[in-house]
Amino acid sequence: MDLSTWLAFCAAALVMLAIPGPTILLVIGQSLGGGRNSALPLVAGVALGDLTAMTLSLAGLGAILAASATLFTALKWVGAAYLIWLGAKMWRAPVAATAAPPLPAGRALREAWLVTALNPKGIVFFVAFVPQFIDPARNFVTQAALLVATFVTLAAANVAIYAALAGRLSGAVRRPSVRRVLNRVGGGVLMGAGLAVALRRG
């Protein structure tokens, strides 16, 4: 994989990971109620959840690519449309949010894994997002392994940072005006990514 492609994937992944969602709100609530150490199981749960979701998604992508390059290209077009739709939905998303109460370590890890891995929307998102950075002419398994390792590492680091800074950031993140800005910035990024894929030649 070209360095420029990998860096573009990192940048896009960081933007999406930084937008607070259910997992981040769970981390903030856990950190506020029980301290930073109580959020550690959530970090592990998110990492395992992303590993599960991306592995399942990329296994399906690999099967499609092996079957037909045309199907893979068609999937990229469908993915572009999905990104635009998801961005528009995020732009209009409601801004109300509440933090979850502290959880026991085992339950925290399990809930973080379930929220991250077993959300069908997350798997569909990976199927739409990842092909934009896959070169069908190169080894799929190598590229997939690199993207999975990169995303899981970034996701775990993102959750850990939110946990460490929860005491300072939680109030602002849950503030409706801030949530609205984050939703619109994130939605704009996703719609732009979808349009770039749709307009790109090849």
Side-chain angles (χ1 to χ4, degrees):
M1 177 177 292
D2 294 334
L3 178 61
S4 60
T5 300
W6 180 76
L7 290 175
F9 175 82
C10 290
L14 284 171
V15 169
M16 287 179 289
L17 286 169
I19 300 170
T23 300
I24 294 300
L25 294 175
L26 183 65
V27 169
I28 290 174
Q30 185 82 347
S31 300
L32 287 176
R36 298 175 185 175
N37 290 337
S38 64
L40 293 178
L42 291 174
V43 175
V46 170
L48 290 173
D50 280 320
L51 177 62
T52 301
M54 286 199 76
T55 300
L56 292 175
S57 302
L58 291 176
L61 289 176
I64 292 174
L65 179 58
S68 170
T70 301
L71 284 177
F72 190 81
T73 300
L75 178 62
K76 294 180 73 170
W77 277 93
V78 173
Y82 176 74
L83 290 175
I84 293 171
W85 174 82
L86 189 64
K89 184 178 179 181
M90 182 177 293
W91 183 284
R92 301 192 308 268
V95 297
T98 57
L103 299 171
R107 184 179 172 189
L109 189 151
R110 183 173 63 253
E111 289 200 6
W113 178 77
L114 288 172
V115 168
T116 307
L118 302 183
N119 183 355
K121 292 181 180 179
I123 295 177
V124 172
F125 177 77
F126 283 131
V127 171
F129 176 65
V130 174
Q132 321 311 326
F133 304 93
I134 294 287
D135 183 354
R138 299 187 177 184
N139 183 273
F140 178 83
V141 174
T142 301
Q143 294 179 85
L146 177 60
L147 294 181
V148 168
T150 299
F151 192 91
V152 170
T153 299
L154 292 176
N158 178 67
V159 172
I161 290 171
Y162 266 108
L165 301 179
R168 293 175 179 239
L169 298 180
S170 59
V173 170
R174 293 200 304 266
R175 192 179 307 159
S177 60
V178 175
R179 291 276 294 173
R180 186 177 296 108
V181 170
L182 291 172
N183 283 345
R184 291 184 175 178
V185 170
V189 169
L190 291 178
M191 287 187 286
L195 286 173
V197 171
L199 296 175
R200 187 175 59 193
R201 294 181 180 179

